Amino acid sequence: MQHEKILILDFGSQYTQLIARRVRELNIYCEIHPYNKIPKLSDDLKGVILSGSPYSVREENAPIPNLEGIKGDFPLLGLCYGAQHLAHKYGGEVLPSKIREYGRAYLSFVDDTNPLMKGIPKNSQVWMSHGDTITNLPHRYKIITSTNDVEVAGYQIEGEDTYAIQFHPEVYHSTDGTTILSNFLVDICGCSQDWTPASFVEETVQKLKEKIGNDKVILGLSGGVDSTVAGMLLNKAIGDNLYCIFVDNGLLRKDEFENVLDQYKHMGLNVKGVDAKDRFYEVLAGLIDPEAKRKAIGNKFIDVFDDEAHLIEDVVWLAQGTIYPDVIESVSATGGPSATIKSHHNVGGLPDFMKLKIVEPLNTLFKDEVRRIGRSMGIAKELLGRHPFPGPGLAIRILGDITKDKVRILQEVDHIFISSLKEVGLYDEVWQAGAILLPVQSVGVMGDERTYENAVALRAVASTDGMTADWVHLPYEFLAKVSNDIINKVKGINRVVYDISSKPPATIEWE
């Protein structure tokens, strides 16, 4: 089945992927492409969205898309930079803002007779992020919304289904942003909202069948949501030709190896457990740099999979549970100008010596989408509700070098923290939680003795997709009890701190 499609042209904004999430939440299929690599315009295209950008339209190297065949021919919505480009390119004026609007703003004027602004109340909160302002509009451009500081907060080109807004409807802080996007996608573009979890499963299984045929596939399972959903999709497509491997890299949570293998017993997946702890500890010995640790773990995973693949005759594919945030944090989004934040061990190609092709059924999905897909396939709520856990495991929650003793200490701390969240009903209120072993020792007193032991940081964040996150305000009484339990029960720890940093500017993981 060929779905109606929305094309999102990316100018390097950190928000571009959030636009895609909002479109998909409305059950509409969309694709992101670089502004300078516009695909052939197909019959299923219903509309185009121009993203924001870190650039100014006044810069010499500002990104300029070729909108021939799009503007005036398809419904078009420019967001932030996209709005400024459509004004600047066609005869308007964009100048540096006298008052730079960043963050919350409120609509002081709304033309609710305009199709884009239908149902949007005056004083609606929106999210601004721009250093330039549209000061003059070209001929036939009509203002459809304003704020107290920005007169041209939105406009339509008369005679065209071309619209633009200076703010970001895709960001949660724009309280009526979903309504604006729905007005554009459903009412203006005419999308029928037929891209659902069930349709994704059906179409993905069919594509996997066509792509893989009768080949054998090896999949690394982690016990997490992503690899589990990927495994179930592949199992539906190829059945016994899927060989699942769960590797104990020595960096898992306490008792996780045994628990994960037990979880999969009744799911119909063919799973083999591989104890490779010592192999990972060996390559991590003495490494301190976070990127060096990630790369060492990634390379060793490849070695282990290569060894296991050779034990299975005629394996052709390596499957991975890579999701979209992994991809966009490892390389600049869709080849655009956004910066690499960190590498992920399960993203990218394989070395030449490993003759396996990669299949990634989930690499266009965000975490919440993966969970919806899993629910539609009947995967247990407990498994789907598991907090995300980083591919490199506890290695990136141990700052500094990795030793078996440090892993043991952190496993015990993490177990107390996560178990306590579950016991008091807070686990499902948190998107991700964990503990970080700090390369810091401090003086303490236990009984009548002076101690000089390690500190740990506890981290709990709320998020929807991992792209942004805020720290969770856990009750003081809860934190006090957890801290007390950790210090009393985990030998080697005498101080516990709580991380109250948000993303951005911090990342969720410390390394």
Side-chain angles (χ1 to χ4, degrees), residues 127-357:
W127 187 261
M128 294 283 192
S129 179
H130 61 98
D132 290 340
T133 296
I134 302 167
T135 54
N136 283 304
L137 286 172
H139 179 59
R140 295 193 302 113
Y141 283 48
K142 175 190 174 185
I143 295 174
I144 57 175
T145 189
S146 307
T147 70
N148 287 325
D149 295 321
V150 175
E151 182 183 12
V152 186
Y155 61 80
Q156 180 188 0
I157 302 179
E158 293 178 321
E160 295 181 18
D161 276 331
T162 299
Y163 304 81
I165 48 180
Q166 183 61 81
F167 52 89
H168 291 273
E170 70 274 21
V171 175
Y172 278 112
H173 300 88
S174 292
T175 51
D176 295 295
T178 299
T179 301
I180 292 174
L181 290 173
S182 178
N183 288 343
F184 177 70
L185 297 165
V186 179
D187 297 345
I188 296 170
C189 296
C191 293
S192 57
Q193 299 178 279
D194 63 351
W195 194 71
T196 62
S199 70
F200 177 87
V201 171
E202 180 183 348
E203 290 158 31
T204 300
V205 168
Q206 185 58 39
K207 288 176 184 176
L208 289 170
K209 286 180 179 179
E210 294 169 1
K211 183 174 187 175
I212 296 169
N214 292 320
D215 294 343
K216 292 180 180 178
V217 179
I218 187 171
L219 166 67
L221 286 175
S222 69
V225 177
D226 305 331
S227 64
T228 300
V229 173
M232 293 298 285
L233 285 168
L234 284 158
N235 192 49
K236 278 179 174 284
I238 63 173
D240 292 342
N241 278 343
L242 174 65
Y243 295 80
C244 299
I245 306 296
F246 178 53
V247 176
D248 185 354
N249 60 4
L251 303 163
L252 303 174
R253 287 173 163 163
K254 184 179 179 181
D255 299 329
E256 189 166 20
F257 186 58
E258 296 78 14
N259 292 340
V260 166
L261 288 176
D262 188 61
Q263 272 184 322
Y264 289 123
K265 273 184 181 177
H266 307 293
M267 292 181 66
L269 296 176
N270 173 28
V271 184
K272 176 184 178 182
V274 178
D275 183 351
K277 291 192 291 288
D278 291 338
R279 295 175 67 178
F280 283 88
Y281 288 147
E282 183 179 349
V283 298
L284 285 167
L287 294 184
I288 295 175
D289 179 72
E291 279 297 290
K293 288 194 285 187
R294 285 178 178 272
K295 286 181 169 59
I297 292 167
N299 290 336
K300 189 50 61 177
F301 263 114
I302 289 172
D303 289 344
V304 172
F305 280 126
D306 191 44
D307 291 344
E308 293 301 320
H310 279 101
L311 299 177
I312 305 167
E313 192 174 344
D314 300 324
V315 170
V316 178
W317 298 87
L318 171 65
Q320 298 187 141
T322 310
I323 63 171
Y324 211 11
D326 297 338
V327 175
I328 54 188
E329 286 196 341
S330 295
V331 294
S332 55
T334 63
S338 54
T340 297
I341 298 169
K342 59 189 177 186
S343 64
H344 289 256
H345 79 274
N346 61 333
V347 177
L350 294 170
D352 291 339
F353 74 81
M354 192 173 184
K355 307 300 182 184
L356 296 181
K357 296 185 281 187

Side-chain angles (χ1 to χ4, degrees), residues 90-149:
Y90 298 98
E93 184 178 53
V94 178
L95 295 174
S97 302
K98 292 181 180 178
I99 300 176
R100 186 175 185 270
E101 270 199 326
Y102 181 82
R104 292 174 179 83
Y106 300 89
L107 301 181
S108 58
F109 161 72
V110 176
D111 179 1
D112 57 8
T113 65
N114 187 272
L116 187 69
M117 303 306 292
K118 184 182 70 176
I120 307 303
K122 186 178 177 181
N123 295 320
S124 176
Q125 177 181 285
V126 297
W127 187 261
M128 294 283 192
S129 179
H130 61 98
D132 290 340
T133 296
I134 302 167
T135 54
N136 283 304
L137 286 172
H139 179 59
R140 295 193 302 113
Y141 283 48
K142 175 190 174 185
I143 295 174
I144 57 175
T145 189
S146 307
T147 70
N148 287 325
D149 295 321

Side-chain angles (χ1 to χ4, degrees), residues 253-482:
R253 287 173 163 163
K254 184 179 179 181
D255 299 329
E256 189 166 20
F257 186 58
E258 296 78 14
N259 292 340
V260 166
L261 288 176
D262 188 61
Q263 272 184 322
Y264 289 123
K265 273 184 181 177
H266 307 293
M267 292 181 66
L269 296 176
N270 173 28
V271 184
K272 176 184 178 182
V274 178
D275 183 351
K277 291 192 291 288
D278 291 338
R279 295 175 67 178
F280 283 88
Y281 288 147
E282 183 179 349
V283 298
L284 285 167
L287 294 184
I288 295 175
D289 179 72
E291 279 297 290
K293 288 194 285 187
R294 285 178 178 272
K295 286 181 169 59
I297 292 167
N299 290 336
K300 189 50 61 177
F301 263 114
I302 289 172
D303 289 344
V304 172
F305 280 126
D306 191 44
D307 291 344
E308 293 301 320
H310 279 101
L311 299 177
I312 305 167
E313 192 174 344
D314 300 324
V315 170
V316 178
W317 298 87
L318 171 65
Q320 298 187 141
T322 310
I323 63 171
Y324 211 11
D326 297 338
V327 175
I328 54 188
E329 286 196 341
S330 295
V331 294
S332 55
T334 63
S338 54
T340 297
I341 298 169
K342 59 189 177 186
S343 64
H344 289 256
H345 79 274
N346 61 333
V347 177
L350 294 170
D352 291 339
F353 74 81
M354 192 173 184
K355 307 300 182 184
L356 296 181
K357 296 185 281 187
I358 289 182
V359 57
E360 297 173 320
L362 309 176
N363 67 354
T364 60
L365 299 182
F366 291 91
K367 180 71 73 174
D368 57 328
E369 292 180 301
V370 176
R371 287 195 170 104
R372 288 203 297 272
I373 300 300
R375 279 196 294 272
S376 76
M377 290 194 293
I379 297 175
K381 180 181 177 182
E382 179 185 352
L383 200 154
L384 291 176
R386 268 190 81 185
H387 289 177
F389 189 63
L394 298 180
I396 59 169
R397 292 181 179 176
I398 297 173
L399 293 145
D401 66 321
I402 308 298
T403 67
K404 289 183 181 180
D405 192 52
K406 287 181 179 179
V407 172
R408 177 197 61 78
I409 289 172
L410 191 56
Q411 283 177 333
E412 294 295 336
V413 171
D414 179 85
H415 179 69
I416 291 171
F417 185 29
I418 298 301
S419 298
S420 299
L421 286 169
K422 291 178 178 178
E423 285 170 11
V424 300
L426 287 171
Y427 184 82
D428 291 336
E429 304 299 314
V430 173
W431 191 77
Q432 183 172 331
I436 300 91
L437 183 62
L438 305 180
V440 172
Q441 291 185 312
S442 65
V443 174
V445 177
M446 291 187 177
D448 293 326
E449 296 183 7
R450 175 187 184 276
T451 62
Y452 193 62
E453 294 181 333
N454 294 96
V456 289
L458 304 182
R459 181 90 159 122
V461 299
S463 182
T464 55
D465 49 33
M467 298 299 296
T468 60
D470 201 4
W471 64 279
V472 176
H473 295 238
L474 294 176
Y476 289 152
E477 295 79 10
F478 171 81
L479 289 171
K481 183 178 185 304
V482 170

